[in-house]
Amino acid sequence: MQRLEAPMRRHAPNEEVDYLIVGVGSAGGVLLQRLARAGFRVVGLEAGPFWDTERDWVSDEKGSHQLYWEDMRITGGENPLVFGANNSGKGVGGGSVHWAAFTPRFHPSDFEVYTRDGVGVDWPISYWDLKPYYELLELEMPVAGPAWYPWGDPHGYAYGAHPMGGVGNTLIRGCTKLGIPVSAGGPVAILSGSRNDRPHCIYRGFCIQGCKVGAKASTLITHVPDALRSGAEIRDCSMANRIHLGKDNRVTGVSYFDRAGREHFQKAKAVIVSGYAIETPRLLLNSACAGYENGLANSSDTVGRYLMAQAGTVVLGRFDELVRMYKAPPAHALTEEFYETDPKRDFARGFAIQTVGPLPIAFAKQMMAARGSWGWGMRRQMMDYNHWAALGLLGEILPWPENRVTLAEERDQWGIPVAHINFDLHENDKKLIEFARNKTEEVMRAAGATETAHEARYAHLVGAARMGEDPAKSVVDRYGRTHDIVNLFVCDGSVLPTQGSANPGLTIQALAARTADYLISQGTTVFSSDKRDLTPPPVRRELSPPGTHGKGVPRLG
C-alpha cells in the first residue's frame, strides 16, 4: 500500500520552504497534497512515525495503542474528558488512521446555530461554501453510502453502500418498529468494492485499530502518497515546540525536536498549524513572545477556549440470537432524525444514533463502567459477547468559553509544557444527553434487546482556535488565516465554531481542501503582502489525487 515510486524529496537544513505544515493528519495530509501538487515547496512535521501498515499495524486491540496520542495531558473540570484512545492520533495520518470513517456531512443549520436557535455562534461561512468540497472529498476517500440520504441537504453517494452486519440490523429493526427513518450501509469512507490499488473491505471489524487491508480511508492512504509524488517532504517523529515570530510581525519558521531529541529550526515563508484541538492551542500558547505574551495569535484571548467534545454515550443491548457486532465496519448505519432543534424538547440542538462495534477489550471496559463487572462476573459477560449489540449516540455539546486548553506546570519528554484541559457540561448539554440516551435505549428495546446497559463517554474533540469574522472573538478568519499574523494559518478541527451531531472528519478535510484552494489563489502574496483578500477561490478539482475525481456512479442530489 505504501510503496513509493520515487524517493521522497529532502530539503536542505538551511532552505526556506514555502509552507511548513505542523501535523500531517486529516487536515494536514490534504493540505500537503494540494499545495505540493500546485507546485509549492512544502514540508510536513509530524510528531509520530510514518506508519508502514504491513510492519507496524496488527489485528489486535492492545497492540494498536501506539496509534493514539497517549503523551501526558492534564485533565480536569466537573465533567473531565478522557484522553488517549478514541480522540486523537499520533503518526502520519493522525486521527484518520484510527477513526471509524463515518462521514456524514454537517447540516446547513450547523453553520448558523445562533441565528436559528439562539445558542452557540454562527460560522463565518455557510454550508453552501463547503458543499463543493464535501462532494470532492466524498470521491477522494471515497465514501460508500446510500443512493439517497434524506437529512440536512439531501444527497446521494457515488459508491454503493455496505451490506448490513448484525449491529446494523439491530438499529434498522429498532428504528423501523418505532417509525424512525434510518440510513443503511453508510456513509462510511471504507471501500465496498475494490478500487484502483486498494482492496475492498473484508468485514473483520478492526477499523479503528488501523486498517491493514487498506480498504478504510485515511490521509496516509488517500492523500500522502500523491503529496510525496508531487514533491512534498514529511519529517516524522518531529515534535514542534515553538513557532518563531520575526520583527515584521511575520512568522519565520518552527523549531522542533527530532527522534533523538535534537532541536532543529525550519525556515518557512508561511506556517500552517494542523495539530488538532489540543496540540494546536498548546503550540500557539507555548509560542508566546514579546507582543503576544498570552500566546501567539491570541490577542482575542480565544486560543484554547471553546473546546468541544461530542456526547458519545454507548447503549448496549443483549439479544437471545447471535449478533456478532464485530463482523462489519463499526459505523455502517445511523439515523439523524433527532439532529435538529425540536421546540417540543427543553434543550437546543440534537443528536444522531449510530452503530458502534466494540471489540472484546473495549466491550469489557464498557461493561465494567456500566455494571462494575469484575472477576468471574466479567468472564461471564465476555462469554456472552456475541449476543450483544452497541449503539452510540452522537450529541452536540455547545461551545463554552471556560471549556479550554491552557498550559500546565508539568512538562513532557522534550521539556515542553503539556496541555491542561478543563471541561464542564452545562444544563443544555445534560438535558440533551439524558434525552438522547433514553431514546437510544428505546430503539435498542424496540429491536428486541432483553436487557440494556450504557457507558457515558465523549467523542470527537474540536474547537479551541475558532474561526470568525470578529478578530476580538476568534482566532482565524474564514480561510484559516490568523487575525493577528498574516502568514500564520490554522487548519484542523480546532477552527470549528460549533460541531453539530455529525462526525467531524469529512468536514475537517473539506475545510483543508478549501483553504488550500484559497492559498493557491493567493499565490505569493501570502509570503510578501499584508493584504487580506477574502475573495472566494475557484474549486480546483484537478488537484484531487489522480483517479478520484469524476469516478463512481452518478447519484441523486
Side-chain angles (χ1 to χ4, degrees):
M1 290 301 303
Q2 295 176 289
R3 188 174 294 112
L4 301 179
E5 298 174 0
M8 180 170 65
R9 180 177 181 177
R10 304 283 183 178
H11 293 84
N14 61 347
E15 182 180 355
E16 183 181 51
V17 299
D18 295 323
Y19 285 101
L20 180 60
I21 301 171
V22 181
V24 187
S26 289
V30 173
L31 286 163
L32 192 80
Q33 183 266 333
R34 290 296 204 282
L35 295 174
R37 181 164 275 275
F40 290 103
R41 293 173 300 163
V42 56
V43 169
L45 299 180
E46 171 53 48
F50 197 130
W51 300 114
D52 184 311
T53 60
E54 289 297 318
R55 292 186 303 176
D56 298 333
W57 293 358
V58 294
S59 298
D60 174 77
E61 286 179 88
K62 186 176 184 298
S64 299
H65 273 255
Q66 59 183 335
L67 303 177
Y68 311 132
W69 191 293
E70 295 194 316
D71 293 5
M72 179 170 54
R73 288 166 172 168
I74 310 301
T75 187
E78 292 185 5
N79 308 101
L81 300 172
V82 176
F83 291 97
N86 190 53
N87 56 25
S88 52
K90 190 174 186 181
V92 177
S96 71
V97 163
H98 67 79
W99 68 331
F102 230 162
T103 50
R105 302 177 186 179
F106 280 13
H107 289 201
S109 68
D110 291 323
F111 297 82
E112 45 191 36
V113 169
Y114 184 77
T115 295
R116 294 193 185 207
D117 300 317
V119 296
V121 66
D122 290 346
W123 290 47
I125 64 174
S126 74
Y127 168 86
W128 311 107
D129 293 318
L130 209 53
K131 180 176 179 177
Y133 295 98
Y134 279 144
E135 295 173 338
L136 208 54
L137 267 296
E138 286 165 354
L139 293 175
E140 293 179 16
M141 292 182 180
V143 173
W148 183 247
Y149 192 79
W151 298 288
D153 171 32
H155 58 279
Y157 292 92
Y159 290 86
H162 286 269
M164 283 295 91
V167 68
N169 285 329
T170 297
L171 179 62
I172 292 169
R173 190 165 60 246
C175 286
T176 301
K177 187 170 182 179
L178 296 173
I180 301 171
V182 63
S183 172
V188 60
I190 298 174
L191 293 179
S192 54
S194 297
R195 177 177 170 276
N196 295 338
D197 62 347
R198 288 172 56 196
H200 59 76
C201 181
I202 59 174
Y203 305 111
R204 66 200 186 100
F206 283 96
C207 305
I208 62 174
Q209 284 71 36
C211 178
K212 282 181 70 73
V213 177
K216 189 187 77 171
S218 68
T219 54
L220 175 70
I221 299 298
T222 58
H223 288 81
V224 164
D226 188 56
L228 299 184
R229 285 192 296 267
S230 301
E233 179 187 357
I234 294 176
R235 296 178 191 166
D236 66 336
C237 298
S238 298
M239 180 64 187
N241 66 311
R242 174 173 286 273
I243 304 168
H244 293 263
L245 189 69
K247 295 180 180 179
D248 56 354
N249 198 47
R250 285 176 165 269
V251 295
T252 58
V254 176
S255 58
Y256 67 95
F257 294 101
D258 66 17
R259 69 181 70 229
R262 297 182 294 258
E263 189 172 12
H264 305 268
F265 176 71
Q266 175 59 54
K267 294 188 292 184
K269 296 177 181 178
V271 172
I272 308 173
V273 184
S274 297
Y276 201 38
I278 304 298
E279 294 306 310
T280 285
R282 179 190 175 200
L283 178 60
L284 293 174
L285 294 172
N286 272 315
S287 300
C289 59
Y292 296 100
E293 287 80 6
N294 294 324
L296 202 59
N298 193 27
S299 64
S300 64
D301 190 32
T302 309
V303 170
R305 293 189 183 274
Y306 302 104
L307 178 70
M308 293 169 282
Q310 287 171 318
T313 298
V314 173
V315 174
L316 301 119
R318 190 198 182 281
F319 294 81
D320 291 335
E321 67 275 15
L322 290 172
V323 176
R324 299 189 189 277
M325 57 182 164
Y326 62 90
K327 291 186 72 65
H332 67 284
L334 82 162
T335 178
E336 290 185 342
E337 193 65 13
F338 308 100
Y339 195 104
E340 308 288 353
T341 296
D342 185 344
K344 298 177 183 178
R345 303 193 295 244
D346 62 347
F347 57 86
R349 306 303 295 157
F351 60 97
I353 303 175
Q354 306 178 343
T355 60
V356 291
L359 295 180
I361 294 176
F363 175 76
K365 179 181 73 70
Q366 290 166 349
M367 296 307 291
M368 184 171 65
R371 293 187 166 179
S373 299
W374 197 255
W376 172 249
M378 176 64 79
R379 291 188 64 188
R380 183 65 189 87
Q381 297 285 2
M382 297 307 297
M383 290 165 63
D384 225 15
Y385 168 74
N386 283 326
H387 286 270
W388 286 83
L391 302 177
L393 67 90
L394 200 63
E396 180 171 359
I397 295 175
L398 297 173
W400 306 103
E402 61 271 26
N403 287 345
R404 66 183 300 194
V405 179
T406 56
L407 297 180
E409 295 182 0
E410 293 83 352
R411 294 174 179 263
D412 65 13
Q413 60 266 46
W414 297 281
I416 308 169
V418 304
H420 179 280
I421 301 95
N422 182 84
F423 200 82
D424 300 326
L425 294 174
H426 288 235
E427 196 63 27
N428 192 86
D429 308 323
K430 294 175 182 177
K431 289 179 178 179
L432 184 151
I433 292 170
E434 181 180 9
F435 182 94
R437 185 187 68 241
N438 291 337
K439 181 60 66 173
T440 306
E441 185 169 349
E442 182 183 356
V443 171
M444 188 71 82
R445 291 284 187 181
T450 57
E451 56 182 289
T452 62
H454 73 271
E455 178 201 22
R457 57 186 286 276
Y458 298 108
H460 306 130
L461 299 173
V462 295
R466 61 162 37 168
M467 67 164 70
E469 300 284 9
D470 187 350
K473 298 179 180 179
S474 57
V475 179
V476 302
D477 67 16
R478 64 182 60 190
Y479 294 110
R481 192 198 299 256
T482 59
H483 294 302
D484 292 347
I485 301 169
V486 73
N487 68 333
L488 175 62
F489 294 77
V490 177
C491 186
D492 56 28
S494 68
V495 305
L496 272 59
T498 58
Q499 61 178 339
S501 299
N503 310 61
L506 173 66
T507 296
I508 290 169
Q509 293 190 34
L511 284 169
R514 181 174 178 271
T515 293
D517 278 355
Y518 173 75
L519 295 175
I520 293 164
S521 291
Q522 294 295 301
T524 59
T525 62
V526 173
F527 311 139
S528 59
S529 172
D530 289 338
K531 181 181 178 182
R532 293 175 179 267
D533 179 10
L534 296 178
T535 303
V539 180
R540 289 179 168 80
R541 295 176 175 83
E542 70 276 8
L543 294 181
S544 293
T548 59
H549 173 62
K551 303 295 182 179
V553 178
R555 298 291 191 188
L556 300 173

